[in-house]
Amino acid sequence: MNIQFKKGVLEICVLSVLAHKDCYGYELVAEISKRIDISEGTIYPLLHRLKDDGHVTTYLQESAGGPPRKYYRLTESGRKEEHEQKEEWTRFAASVNALLEGKNHAAD
Amino acid sequence: MNIQFKKGVLEICVLSVLAHKDCYGYELVAEISKRIDISEGTIYPLLHRLKDDGHVTTYLQESAGGPPRKYYRLTESGRKEEHEQKEEWTRFAASVNALLEGKNHAAD
DNA sequence: TTAGGTATCTTGTGATGCAAGATACCGTGT
DNA sequence: ACACGGTATCTTGCATCACAAGATACCTAA
């Protein structure tokens, strides 16, 4: 898979999964990996950025067989961001598809 | 527009436009900008990369009111690359869309 | 001669994904 | 007791690529 395609897209993927349910980092990797390869070295810095930006809050929860899990929950700002980025992705993907199909007139 | 979304995508956009007709750099910026913002500082390094990789060849042609234009033409390798990257983009976009719609089971 | 449109190119900066590895918890098998 | 593997979080250094800003230069028209 082209690594460059993922730039910026993984963020909206994380926001979108979190919009459905709270997750911990390791779980997000598993969820998103069903569709798109993503590694732990990517998810943790991304989650820290989201927290710094106020789009998520965190809480710890014990797990059965392993260290405690840090769950991430969308804030109001995070939900707004998820909505906006989703729209932006949709517009962007439509533009690219139009270009690739040769429909190269802005009105199409 | 989210700059990160464009990473890697502008390359397939350029290949796709060149698949329809030979273009010079300035013209490519104008063509692609109908759909997606792209600047000259992006297109020239990108075109040099494509040339280094053997995906395009170039030829000079005089212009009426300005310096000569450097036209870019796809090579056989470039056409193959255009085809492969187009498929990869389509698969990628479909995966992202499925994720954003919550259809998060690889079989969907 | 000055200004602006056309056209190519380079430099430095910023964003972000990844590989690789460190750390640590826990249960199972030897 | 000990080692191992699965679970879980995190950091460091690297590579890629888009962009802003600017340099260069050609030509026409005011």
Side-chain angles (χ1 to χ4, degrees), chain A residues 4 7 24-26 40-41 44 48 67 69-70 72:
Chain A
Q4 300 302 321
K7 295 286 172 75
Y24 52 101
Y26 202 76
E40 294 155 30
Y44 291 110
H48 292 330
R69 296 163 173 167
K70 187 186 279 187
Y72 293 82

Side-chain angles (χ1 to χ4, degrees), chain B residues 14 17 23-44 47:
Chain B
V14 165
V17 172
C23 286
Y24 52 101
Y26 201 77
E27 185 183 15
L28 278 167
V29 172
E31 276 297 311
I32 296 175
S33 289
K34 290 178 188 168
R35 298 287 189 179
I36 301 167
D37 287 338
I38 185 173
S39 70
E40 293 155 30
T42 300
I43 206 90
Y44 290 110
L47 287 168

Side-chain angles (χ1 to χ4, degrees), chain B residues 1-35:
Chain B
M1 185 177 325
N2 186 332
I3 292 176
Q4 301 301 322
F5 284 169
K6 303 183 200 173
K7 295 287 171 74
V9 177
L10 293 180
E11 181 171 321
I12 172 60
C13 288
V14 165
L15 289 171
S16 185
V17 172
L18 289 180
H20 289 96
K21 58 169 182 180
D22 295 1
C23 286
Y24 52 101
Y26 201 77
E27 185 183 15
L28 278 167
V29 172
E31 276 297 311
I32 296 175
S33 289
K34 290 178 188 168
R35 298 287 189 179

Side-chain angles (χ1 to χ4, degrees), chain A residues 11-103:
Chain A
E11 181 171 321
I12 172 60
C13 289
V14 166
L15 289 172
S16 185
V17 172
L18 290 180
H20 290 96
K21 59 170 180 178
D22 294 1
C23 287
Y24 52 101
Y26 202 76
E27 186 184 14
L28 278 168
V29 171
E31 276 296 313
I32 295 176
S33 289
K34 291 178 188 168
R35 297 289 189 176
I36 301 167
D37 287 337
I38 184 173
S39 70
E40 294 155 30
T42 302
I43 206 90
Y44 291 110
L46 200 170
L47 287 168
H48 292 330
R49 281 202 300 279
L50 290 177
K51 192 174 183 187
D52 287 345
D53 293 344
H55 297 321
V56 298
T57 55
T58 59
Y59 56 94
L60 285 175
Q61 201 161 295
E62 289 177 33
S63 84
R69 296 163 173 167
K70 187 186 279 187
Y71 278 83
Y72 293 82
R73 186 208 304 272
L74 280 194
T75 61
E76 206 42 53
S77 151
R79 292 194 183 276
K80 191 178 164 196
E81 187 72 11
E82 190 265 341
H83 189 255
E84 285 172 7
Q85 285 203 27
K86 198 166 182 168
E87 279 201 338
E88 194 170 346
W89 159 260
T90 303
R91 273 199 307 274
F92 176 77
S95 294
V96 173
N97 287 335
L99 249 175
L100 297 199
E101 286 163 24
K103 299 178 185 170

Side-chain angles (χ1 to χ4, degrees), chain B residues 47-82:
Chain B
L47 287 168
H48 292 330
R49 281 201 299 279
L50 289 177
K51 192 174 182 185
D52 287 345
D53 292 343
H55 297 320
V56 298
T57 54
T58 58
Y59 55 94
L60 284 175
Q61 201 160 295
E62 288 176 34
S63 84
R69 296 163 173 168
K70 186 184 282 187
Y71 278 82
Y72 292 82
R73 184 208 305 272
L74 280 193
T75 61
E76 207 42 54
S77 151
R79 291 195 182 276
K80 191 179 164 195
E81 187 73 11
E82 190 265 342

